[in-house]
Each structure stands twice: as C-alpha cells, then as structure tokens.
Amino acid sequence: MANNENHNKIMIQPIESNMKAAVGTLLHAAFSGTKHGYDGEAELVDALRKSTEQKIELVALDAYHAVVGEAFLTQSQVADKVGYVLAPLAVMPTLQRQGIGGRLIEQAEAWTAQNDGDYISILGDPNYYGRFGYKRASQLGVLPPAEIPDEYFLMKKMNGDLQLEGTLKYAPEFGIN
C-alpha cells in the first residue's frame, strides 16, 4: 500500500477503554527504538489517565481499527495562562514518516484551541516539531521547571498575541515540578 493510501485510511479519535493495552504496546515499540530508549512512557500514560488535570488521549487507528499512534495532552500552566503538555506522542515504528504524527499534532492543536488552551508544550526534536511551528520555549519567555536542554523544550502559542512569561508547571504525574 502506498504511503498516501495509508495516510488517508488513518482515523484520529479519542481513546476508548478497550484500546489502552494496545497503546501500552505501541509506546514500548515506538520508544524502544529511539536514541533515548524506552523511559517509562506507558507507565506515565497510565498515571496521567488517573490525573485530575484536564486531559485528552487521542489515538490513530488504521483501516483495521488497530492503534498505530497516540497523543496525550495534559493541562499545564505558565503564570495565569493555561495550556497543555503534549506527551507522549508516538507512532508505530513501521508506520513512521507517513504523516500520522503530524495528523495527531493537528488534532491535538485543534482540541487545545477548542478548549481555550493558550499553548502546547513538548519535549522533543526541534527539527521535527519545528515543522509544525514549535519554537524554543525560552524564545517565548517560558522556562522549564527542571534542567531540560533549551533546544528540546518547545512550545507553540495557540494565539499569536499571547504574552507568556514564567516557568511551566506540569501535572504532578510527570514528577518534574
């Protein structure tokens, strides 16, 4: 099947309870092959699902309704501005570089805008996320709550006029405040 055909048959939707185990499998597969390796992403997602913070977990499903991607947004704060942390974002390794991650990001951004989120923050590859308009958070006046390399602490404002200044406060489940 051509990449374009795969891309067109992918459906993005909020997770259903019967998909949670498949997301765990996906997260292990997606992060085990990275240069950073698997670092407890499935366990983080399990903890975030129990969080009292506002959140949404989106999944990408293939034509057979198998989970092939996931994006988790959890409410965060910078001073008096409310936004979301996008973590994790994952796509099945055999389907990466086919636009699925980009579609998950687009849906995450649409959901954030619909829920009056001021920004999305992510820790990730600036070359990848830069294509979607994410910049170093420090350029927007935002500092991380822990020692995180500046080039990987990224943010995108949902409103171009928004003024941000302060330290990002993550949901407690991240364990980095």
Side-chain angles (χ1 to χ4, degrees):
M1 194 179 288
N3 286 354
N4 210 13
E5 290 176 43
N6 281 338
H7 177 76
N8 291 334
K9 293 187 179 191
I10 298 297
M11 183 173 68
I12 310 292
Q13 69 172 54
I15 192 168
E16 295 173 8
S17 61
N18 64 339
M19 299 173 180
K20 291 178 179 178
V23 167
T25 301
L26 163 74
L27 292 171
H28 279 277
F31 286 97
S32 293
T34 67
K35 67 180 178 180
H36 300 289
Y38 181 79
D39 193 26
E41 286 81 7
E43 293 78 8
L44 172 62
V45 164
D46 285 341
L48 289 171
R49 286 176 180 147
K50 298 171 190 164
S51 174
T52 59
E53 301 295 336
Q54 185 175 10
K55 60 197 167 283
I56 189 167
E57 185 173 4
L58 301 170
V59 290
L61 304 175
D62 68 10
Y64 304 100
H65 298 281
V67 174
V68 297
E70 191 252 10
F72 205 112
L73 286 165
T74 308
Q75 190 172 347
S76 63
Q77 203 158 346
V78 175
D80 63 343
K81 306 295 186 219
V82 175
Y84 293 87
V85 170
L86 176 57
L89 173 72
V91 174
M92 193 61 73
T94 57
L95 296 174
Q96 290 177 358
R97 303 192 189 302
Q98 294 185 28
I100 298 169
R103 291 203 38 217
L104 283 162
I105 290 169
E106 288 171 7
Q107 290 297 311
E109 290 176 358
W111 184 88
T112 297
Q114 289 169 357
N115 287 277
D116 298 321
D118 292 317
Y119 60 84
I120 291 179
S121 173
I122 190 159
L123 298 178
D125 179 355
N127 294 318
Y128 178 73
Y129 293 104
R131 297 187 324 212
F132 302 98
Y134 288 78
K135 300 178 181 184
R136 290 181 182 196
S138 61
Q139 292 176 314
L140 303 176
V142 179
L143 301 172
E147 288 190 36
I148 297 169
D150 186 55
E151 64 268 23
Y152 299 110
F153 183 55
L154 307 172
M155 187 168 274
K156 181 176 182 178
K157 298 188 293 185
M158 296 292 107
N159 172 350
D161 296 332
L162 176 70
Q163 295 300 312
L164 288 170
E165 189 172 326
T167 301
L168 181 76
K169 183 177 183 215
Y170 285 82
E173 291 76 11
F174 283 95
I176 55 176
N177 285 324

